[in-house]
Amino acid sequence: METEKLNELQRLIDESDHIVFFGGAGVSTESGIPDFRSQDGLYNQKYDYPPEVILSHTFFVNNPVEFFRFYRDKMLYLDAEPNAAHIALAKLEKRKKLKAVITQNIDGLHQKAGSNVVLELHGSVHRNYCTKCGKSYGVDAILNSEGVPRCECGGIIKPDVVLYEEPLDEYIMSMAAAYAQSADVFIVGGTSLSVYPAAGFVYRYMGDKLILINKSKTNIDKDARLVFNDSIGEVFSRLKI
């Protein structure tokens, strides 16, 4: 990792009090949560149905038993702990430098690390609700049930995560766009920027301090002030925050 680039990132963080972070699956893989598209990710494991089919609204409606079997087995990583990136971002928020975290992840690790302003584009495994009466439930309602979890009214308890074929929450989207537009320093980490509409937030940023931290290259590397093709946890662990 180049010392010169790290020093430049340190300077940008030190001088800014309006940082916004946008992160993807790579932020959580270092906490032991697999992503979907890596060589060892869910897309490359074998099931009766492909994960993108199981995690669709249609499949949830038509095959809820199989949906929940997969969901409990492969989507809940409740023992995972925040890594260096989560912890550093929470510290930056506490110092009033970081204004918001925009995340594609559903694991709640940013909040577990201490971040308060977290915009979850794809929802959270920690929130669940009855599809019939709307009653809210914690993750235990899913974890400690068998088959299809049911509300006391008889309705199915659905995880508050965005499935394929479902739209993203418009309010969360608009808030995320506003934060991205108002950022002084915009740090993007752990995402290949290939999943839309979420990846489009990078184009909302109008400044000249775009920082990209991703193990692989992205299609906007050329537009960034700094690019780190490295572990996001490793980059943050080398900064003085």
Side-chain angles (χ1 to χ4, degrees), residues 138-168:
V139 69
D140 286 349
I142 306 293
L143 195 64
N144 297 331
S145 60
E146 295 182 1
V148 180
R150 295 278 180 179
C151 175
E152 56 193 21
C153 78
I156 295 176
I157 300 174
K158 180 184 182 294
D160 189 13
V161 299
V162 180
L163 302 177
Y164 290 99
E165 305 169 346
E166 294 179 345
L168 301 186

Short mmCIF file of all heavy atoms in Angstrom, two decimals, residues 138-168:
data_model
loop_
_atom_site.label_atom_id
_atom_site.label_comp_id
_atom_site.label_asym_id
_atom_site.label_seq_id
_atom_site.Cartn_x
_atom_site.Cartn_y
_atom_site.Cartn_z
N GLY A 138 -38.46 -8.56 15.77
CA GLY A 138 -37.01 -8.62 15.70
C GLY A 138 -36.57 -9.87 14.95
O GLY A 138 -37.40 -10.69 14.53
N VAL A 139 -35.27 -10.03 14.82
CA VAL A 139 -34.75 -11.16 14.05
C VAL A 139 -35.03 -12.50 14.74
O VAL A 139 -35.09 -13.55 14.08
CB VAL A 139 -33.24 -10.98 13.80
CG1 VAL A 139 -32.44 -11.12 15.10
CG2 VAL A 139 -32.73 -11.96 12.75
N ASP A 140 -35.26 -12.48 16.06
CA ASP A 140 -35.54 -13.73 16.77
C ASP A 140 -36.82 -14.40 16.27
O ASP A 140 -36.95 -15.63 16.36
CB ASP A 140 -35.67 -13.47 18.27
CG ASP A 140 -34.32 -13.20 18.92
OD1 ASP A 140 -33.29 -13.44 18.25
OD2 ASP A 140 -34.29 -12.75 20.08
N ALA A 141 -37.74 -13.61 15.75
CA ALA A 141 -38.98 -14.17 15.24
C ALA A 141 -38.72 -15.10 14.05
O ALA A 141 -39.46 -16.06 13.82
CB ALA A 141 -39.95 -13.06 14.83
N ILE A 142 -37.65 -14.80 13.32
CA ILE A 142 -37.26 -15.66 12.19
C ILE A 142 -36.38 -16.79 12.68
O ILE A 142 -36.59 -17.97 12.37
CB ILE A 142 -36.51 -14.84 11.12
CG1 ILE A 142 -37.33 -13.62 10.68
CG2 ILE A 142 -36.15 -15.74 9.94
CD1 ILE A 142 -38.58 -13.93 9.93
N LEU A 143 -35.39 -16.42 13.49
CA LEU A 143 -34.38 -17.38 13.92
C LEU A 143 -34.95 -18.50 14.77
O LEU A 143 -34.56 -19.67 14.64
CB LEU A 143 -33.29 -16.63 14.69
CG LEU A 143 -31.98 -17.36 14.91
CD1 LEU A 143 -31.28 -17.64 13.59
CD2 LEU A 143 -31.07 -16.53 15.82
N ASN A 144 -35.88 -18.17 15.64
CA ASN A 144 -36.39 -19.14 16.61
C ASN A 144 -37.71 -19.79 16.19
O ASN A 144 -38.44 -20.31 17.03
CB ASN A 144 -36.56 -18.47 17.98
CG ASN A 144 -35.24 -17.98 18.55
OD1 ASN A 144 -34.19 -18.53 18.25
ND2 ASN A 144 -35.28 -16.91 19.33
N SER A 145 -37.99 -19.73 14.91
CA SER A 145 -39.20 -20.38 14.40
C SER A 145 -38.79 -21.45 13.39
O SER A 145 -37.65 -21.48 12.94
CB SER A 145 -40.13 -19.35 13.73
OG SER A 145 -39.47 -18.71 12.65
N GLU A 146 -39.72 -22.30 13.06
CA GLU A 146 -39.47 -23.33 12.04
C GLU A 146 -40.45 -23.14 10.90
O GLU A 146 -41.57 -22.67 11.10
CB GLU A 146 -39.63 -24.73 12.65
CG GLU A 146 -38.59 -25.05 13.73
CD GLU A 146 -38.75 -26.46 14.26
OE1 GLU A 146 -39.65 -27.18 13.79
OE2 GLU A 146 -37.97 -26.84 15.15
N GLY A 147 -40.02 -23.53 9.72
CA GLY A 147 -40.89 -23.37 8.56
C GLY A 147 -41.14 -21.90 8.29
O GLY A 147 -40.24 -21.08 8.34
N VAL A 148 -42.39 -21.56 8.02
CA VAL A 148 -42.77 -20.19 7.72
C VAL A 148 -43.15 -19.48 9.02
O VAL A 148 -44.10 -19.89 9.69
CB VAL A 148 -43.96 -20.15 6.73
CG1 VAL A 148 -44.34 -18.71 6.42
CG2 VAL A 148 -43.60 -20.89 5.44
N PRO A 149 -42.43 -18.42 9.42
CA PRO A 149 -42.76 -17.73 10.66
C PRO A 149 -44.10 -16.98 10.54
O PRO A 149 -44.36 -16.33 9.53
CB PRO A 149 -41.60 -16.74 10.84
CG PRO A 149 -41.08 -16.53 9.47
CD PRO A 149 -41.28 -17.83 8.73
N ARG A 150 -44.92 -17.11 11.56
CA ARG A 150 -46.26 -16.52 11.51
C ARG A 150 -46.47 -15.52 12.64
O ARG A 150 -46.03 -15.72 13.77
CB ARG A 150 -47.31 -17.63 11.64
CG ARG A 150 -47.32 -18.61 10.47
CD ARG A 150 -48.09 -18.08 9.30
NE ARG A 150 -48.10 -19.03 8.17
CZ ARG A 150 -48.73 -18.80 7.02
NH1 ARG A 150 -49.41 -17.67 6.85
NH2 ARG A 150 -48.69 -19.69 6.04
N CYS A 151 -47.17 -14.47 12.32
CA CYS A 151 -47.62 -13.49 13.31
C CYS A 151 -48.78 -14.09 14.09
O CYS A 151 -49.42 -15.05 13.67
CB CYS A 151 -48.06 -12.21 12.58
SG CYS A 151 -48.79 -10.93 13.62
N GLU A 152 -49.09 -13.50 15.25
CA GLU A 152 -50.22 -13.96 16.04
C GLU A 152 -51.54 -13.79 15.30
O GLU A 152 -52.53 -14.46 15.60
CB GLU A 152 -50.27 -13.20 17.36
CG GLU A 152 -50.31 -11.70 17.19
CD GLU A 152 -50.04 -10.95 18.49
OE1 GLU A 152 -49.46 -11.53 19.42
OE2 GLU A 152 -50.43 -9.77 18.55
N CYS A 153 -51.55 -12.92 14.27
CA CYS A 153 -52.77 -12.74 13.46
C CYS A 153 -52.86 -13.78 12.35
O CYS A 153 -53.86 -13.84 11.63
CB CYS A 153 -52.82 -11.33 12.87
SG CYS A 153 -51.75 -11.08 11.42
N GLY A 154 -51.79 -14.56 12.16
CA GLY A 154 -51.77 -15.59 11.12
C GLY A 154 -51.00 -15.21 9.87
O GLY A 154 -50.74 -16.05 9.01
N GLY A 155 -50.62 -13.93 9.77
CA GLY A 155 -49.87 -13.49 8.60
C GLY A 155 -48.43 -13.96 8.62
O GLY A 155 -47.89 -14.32 9.67
N ILE A 156 -47.80 -13.96 7.46
CA ILE A 156 -46.39 -14.35 7.35
C ILE A 156 -45.51 -13.19 7.81
O ILE A 156 -45.74 -12.04 7.45
CB ILE A 156 -46.03 -14.73 5.90
CG1 ILE A 156 -46.81 -15.98 5.47
CG2 ILE A 156 -44.52 -14.98 5.76
CD1 ILE A 156 -46.58 -16.36 4.02
N ILE A 157 -44.50 -13.51 8.63
CA ILE A 157 -43.53 -12.50 9.04
C ILE A 157 -42.43 -12.45 7.98
O ILE A 157 -41.73 -13.44 7.75
CB ILE A 157 -42.92 -12.84 10.41
CG1 ILE A 157 -44.03 -12.91 11.47
CG2 ILE A 157 -41.87 -11.80 10.80
CD1 ILE A 157 -43.55 -13.38 12.83
N LYS A 158 -42.28 -11.30 7.35
CA LYS A 158 -41.31 -11.13 6.26
C LYS A 158 -40.12 -10.29 6.71
O LYS A 158 -40.30 -9.27 7.36
CB LYS A 158 -41.98 -10.45 5.06
CG LYS A 158 -41.05 -10.25 3.86
CD LYS A 158 -41.76 -9.47 2.76
CE LYS A 158 -40.86 -9.29 1.54
NZ LYS A 158 -39.68 -8.43 1.82
N PRO A 159 -38.93 -10.71 6.37
CA PRO A 159 -37.77 -9.87 6.64
C PRO A 159 -37.89 -8.53 5.90
O PRO A 159 -38.35 -8.48 4.75
CB PRO A 159 -36.59 -10.68 6.08
CG PRO A 159 -37.09 -12.10 6.05
CD PRO A 159 -38.55 -11.99 5.74
N ASP A 160 -37.49 -7.46 6.56
CA ASP A 160 -37.55 -6.14 5.93
C ASP A 160 -36.28 -5.92 5.10
O ASP A 160 -35.48 -5.03 5.35
CB ASP A 160 -37.67 -5.05 7.00
CG ASP A 160 -37.94 -3.68 6.40
OD1 ASP A 160 -38.27 -3.62 5.20
OD2 ASP A 160 -37.82 -2.68 7.12
N VAL A 161 -36.09 -6.81 4.13
CA VAL A 161 -35.00 -6.69 3.17
C VAL A 161 -35.60 -6.61 1.77
O VAL A 161 -36.67 -7.17 1.52
CB VAL A 161 -34.02 -7.88 3.27
CG1 VAL A 161 -33.39 -7.94 4.66
CG2 VAL A 161 -34.70 -9.19 2.95
N VAL A 162 -34.91 -5.91 0.90
CA VAL A 162 -35.40 -5.74 -0.46
C VAL A 162 -35.04 -6.97 -1.28
O VAL A 162 -33.86 -7.26 -1.52
CB VAL A 162 -34.79 -4.48 -1.10
CG1 VAL A 162 -35.30 -4.31 -2.53
CG2 VAL A 162 -35.13 -3.24 -0.27
N LEU A 163 -36.06 -7.69 -1.71
CA LEU A 163 -35.86 -8.86 -2.55
C LEU A 163 -35.80 -8.45 -4.01
O LEU A 163 -36.20 -7.34 -4.38
CB LEU A 163 -37.00 -9.86 -2.33
CG LEU A 163 -37.22 -10.35 -0.90
CD1 LEU A 163 -38.45 -11.27 -0.85
CD2 LEU A 163 -35.99 -11.07 -0.37
N TYR A 164 -35.28 -9.35 -4.84
CA TYR A 164 -35.35 -9.10 -6.28
C TYR A 164 -36.81 -8.92 -6.66
O TYR A 164 -37.70 -9.55 -6.10
CB TYR A 164 -34.75 -10.28 -7.05
CG TYR A 164 -33.26 -10.38 -6.92
CD1 TYR A 164 -32.69 -11.29 -6.02
CD2 TYR A 164 -32.40 -9.59 -7.67
CE1 TYR A 164 -31.30 -11.38 -5.88
CE2 TYR A 164 -31.03 -9.69 -7.55
CZ TYR A 164 -30.49 -10.58 -6.64
OH TYR A 164 -29.12 -10.67 -6.51
N GLU A 165 -37.05 -8.03 -7.61
CA GLU A 165 -38.39 -7.65 -8.10
C GLU A 165 -39.06 -6.62 -7.19
O GLU A 165 -40.13 -6.13 -7.54
CB GLU A 165 -39.32 -8.87 -8.26
CG GLU A 165 -38.77 -9.97 -9.12
CD GLU A 165 -39.57 -11.25 -9.05
OE1 GLU A 165 -40.41 -11.39 -8.12
OE2 GLU A 165 -39.37 -12.13 -9.91
N GLU A 166 -38.45 -6.27 -6.07
CA GLU A 166 -39.03 -5.27 -5.18
C GLU A 166 -38.28 -3.94 -5.34
O GLU A 166 -37.06 -3.92 -5.53
CB GLU A 166 -38.96 -5.73 -3.72
CG GLU A 166 -39.82 -6.94 -3.43
CD GLU A 166 -39.72 -7.40 -1.98
OE1 GLU A 166 -38.80 -6.96 -1.27
OE2 GLU A 166 -40.59 -8.19 -1.56
N PRO A 167 -38.98 -2.82 -5.24
CA PRO A 167 -38.32 -1.51 -5.37
C PRO A 167 -37.59 -1.12 -4.10
O PRO A 167 -37.93 -1.57 -3.00
CB PRO A 167 -39.49 -0.56 -5.63
CG PRO A 167 -40.64 -1.20 -4.89
CD PRO A 167 -40.44 -2.69 -5.05
N LEU A 168 -36.57 -0.30 -4.25
CA LEU A 168 -35.91 0.26 -3.09
C LEU A 168 -36.81 1.33 -2.48
O LEU A 168 -37.64 1.92 -3.16
CB LEU A 168 -34.56 0.87 -3.47
CG LEU A 168 -33.53 -0.06 -4.11
CD1 LEU A 168 -32.21 0.68 -4.29
CD2 LEU A 168 -33.31 -1.30 -3.27
#
